[in-house]
C-alpha cells in the first residue's frame, strides 16, 4: 500500500510534492484565508468530511476526540463509495490528506488515515 501523509492546509503551499503524490482536502469547509490556487490540492472531497453536526459536537475539544473518532468512523462506514474512491486513488500512488485544523494530533484527517490503513 502506498503511504498516506497528513498535511495542514496552511503548510501545503510550501511543502514540495512527492513524485505521483495526490492531495485531497478532507474538510467540509474551505480553509480560511487561502485561495484555491495557493492551496493547490488535486481534489476537494468535502463529502467525506465529518458531518456538520459531528464537527460542531466535537468543537476541537481534546476530551471529546475519542467520541468524535468513533462517530466519524461510523460515518465513514456509511460512506463506502467515497472511502472506496480514496482507496482506489491510494492504489495509484502516495496520498496526502489535507486538513485545516490546528491540532495535528486530533483531527478528522488522522481518523480518516487510520481508518484507511486499518482496512488496507
Amino acid at each position: 500500500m502506498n503511504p498516506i501523509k497528513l498535511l495542514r492546509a496552511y503548510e501545503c503551499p510550501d511543502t514540495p510534492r512527492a513524485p505521483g503524490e495526490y492531495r485531497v482536502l478532507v474538510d467540509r469547509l474551505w480553509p480560511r484565508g487561502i485561495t484555491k490556487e495557493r492551496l493547490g490540492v488535486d481534489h476537494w472531497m468535502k463529502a467525506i468530511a465529518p458531518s456538520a453536526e459531528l464537527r460542531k459536537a466535537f468543537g476541537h475539544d481534546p476530551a471529546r476526540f475519542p467520541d468524535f473518532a468513533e462517530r466519524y468512523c461510523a460515518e465513514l462506514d456509511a460512506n463506502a463509495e467515497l472511502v472506496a474512491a480514496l482507496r482506489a486513488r491510494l492504489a495509484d500512488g502516495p496520498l496526502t490528506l489535507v486538513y485545516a485544523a490546528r491540532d495535528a494530533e486530533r483531527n478528522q484527517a488522522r481518523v480518516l488515515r487510520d481508518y484507511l490503513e486499518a482496512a488496507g
Side-chain angles (χ1 to χ4, degrees):
M1 177 159 69
N2 285 300
I4 303 172
K5 293 188 334 185
L6 303 179
L7 184 60
R8 189 159 185 257
Y10 302 99
E11 298 167 1
C12 205
D14 301 322
T15 304
R17 285 179 182 255
E21 176 186 3
Y22 193 79
R23 291 183 178 182
V24 180
L25 177 63
V26 293
D27 279 355
R28 191 163 296 276
L29 303 174
W30 190 263
R32 289 184 184 164
I34 192 164
T35 65
K36 290 181 182 182
E37 294 77 22
R38 182 148 163 72
L39 185 57
V41 294
D42 297 300
H43 185 65
W44 180 16
M45 192 178 261
K46 59 183 162 184
I48 204 160
S51 65
E53 174 188 334
L54 180 53
R55 187 174 48 81
K56 288 176 186 174
F58 172 38
H60 300 284
D61 179 347
R64 294 183 188 149
F65 185 73
D67 180 59
F68 166 79
E70 183 178 322
R71 290 176 59 192
Y72 183 38
C73 285
E75 289 185 359
L76 292 171
D77 288 342
N79 282 318
E81 186 176 309
L82 295 173
V83 172
L86 274 182
R87 283 199 182 109
R89 177 51 68 180
L90 186 57
D92 293 338
L95 178 67
T96 298
L97 303 176
V98 179
Y99 64 94
R102 287 188 183 130
D103 189 336
E105 297 301 315
R106 292 173 291 270
N107 62 62
Q108 79 280 2
R110 182 165 298 278
V111 174
L112 179 56
R113 183 196 62 193
D114 293 349
Y115 183 91
L116 291 168
E117 288 178 344

